[in-house]
Amino acid sequence: MSDSMSDSFADDIIAFLPNLRRFALSLCRQADLADDLVQITVERAFRGRDQFDPATRLDAWLFRILRNAWIDMVRRKKTQGIEIDIDDAADARVVDGTQTVETSLMLQSAKQAMAELPDDQREVMMLICVEEMSYKEAAQILDAPIGTVMSRLSRARITIAKKLGINAAPARSSDSEQE
């Protein structure tokens, strides 16, 4: 392809830009999307200019490219779901993939360690640590003395800490926790 043909091709496309934009606006009815469609059309035209037959009309070829780009955009919008501007999303935050994976693995390990506890220890652990009941409430539910509940919880915590590789000394409970 000669330089004069390339320049003519580019000049002809530039001359059709207002027509392309009008057609794009008629399709999408949004100025920003119309501009995107025109840009996509021009990019595709330059990428595929060796496929253009000079015996045909350039404007018809460009309009077909633009229409196909519009169809692609509509199809993509149907499958992409709801789009929210990140500035409008108050709770948008950066997610640390490594931390998320590590947390997930630790949670799985903790669940596995709890599942391996003897039933009496697992029951106490669930009532106090998961359901956030007091020692007194757990003791009433289990029909056991508070001291037994505290002992089972202590053993359960130590067992889980060992299985998770955490060096934990048994915590001393205050008098207010016992009530």
Side-chain angles (χ1 to χ4, degrees):
M1 203 176 277
S2 68
D3 286 339
S4 64
M5 187 173 175
S6 296
D7 292 340
S8 172
F9 184 80
D11 290 342
D12 291 344
I13 287 180
I14 290 170
F16 284 120
L17 287 177
N19 303 59
L20 291 172
R21 186 158 195 282
R22 254 192 319 273
F23 184 53
L25 276 169
S26 74
L27 292 174
C28 66
R29 296 180 180 93
Q30 292 179 337
D32 58 336
L33 285 179
D35 292 339
D36 290 346
L37 281 171
V38 171
Q39 180 177 347
I40 291 167
T41 301
V42 171
E43 288 173 4
R44 288 181 181 179
F46 276 104
R47 237 187 352 253
R49 75 170 134 192
D50 56 331
Q51 298 170 1
F52 173 67
D53 179 5
T56 62
R57 292 181 49 173
L58 180 63
D59 60 344
W61 186 65
L62 292 171
F63 287 143
R64 188 171 55 248
I65 293 172
L66 190 141
R67 184 173 177 279
N68 289 340
W70 169 244
I71 291 168
D72 291 347
M73 192 178 283
V74 168
R75 285 180 183 154
R76 204 171 22 255
K77 277 198 176 282
K78 283 182 182 177
T79 60
Q80 77 183 13
I82 298 171
E83 191 173 299
I84 299 173
D85 188 342
I86 193 151
D87 294 329
D88 295 338
D91 61 344
R93 59 185 169 93
V94 176
V95 176
D96 180 355
T98 303
Q99 182 180 4
T100 301
V101 170
E102 288 174 355
T103 301
S104 178
L105 290 173
M106 180 60 97
L107 183 59
Q108 288 174 352
S109 298
K111 284 180 181 177
Q112 181 64 37
M114 277 189 68
E116 295 172 0
L117 287 172
D119 290 344
D120 59 344
Q121 291 179 19
R122 188 174 54 255
E123 289 170 350
V124 170
M125 181 72 101
M126 288 298 295
L127 291 173
I128 294 174
C129 297
V130 176
E131 299 301 328
E132 298 180 345
M133 293 185 176
S134 69
Y135 292 156
K136 185 177 181 179
E137 292 167 328
Q140 288 172 345
I141 291 170
L142 298 173
D143 195 27
I146 290 178
T148 302
V149 168
M150 292 171 58
S151 174
R152 288 177 185 171
L153 179 62
S154 177
R155 286 194 312 270
R157 286 178 171 165
I158 291 169
T159 302
I160 288 176
K162 284 180 184 175
K163 289 184 181 203
L164 297 178
I166 300 170
N167 185 12
R172 293 192 162 243
S173 59
S174 67
D175 289 337
S176 62
E177 281 186 321
Q178 293 178 14
E179 309 265 338

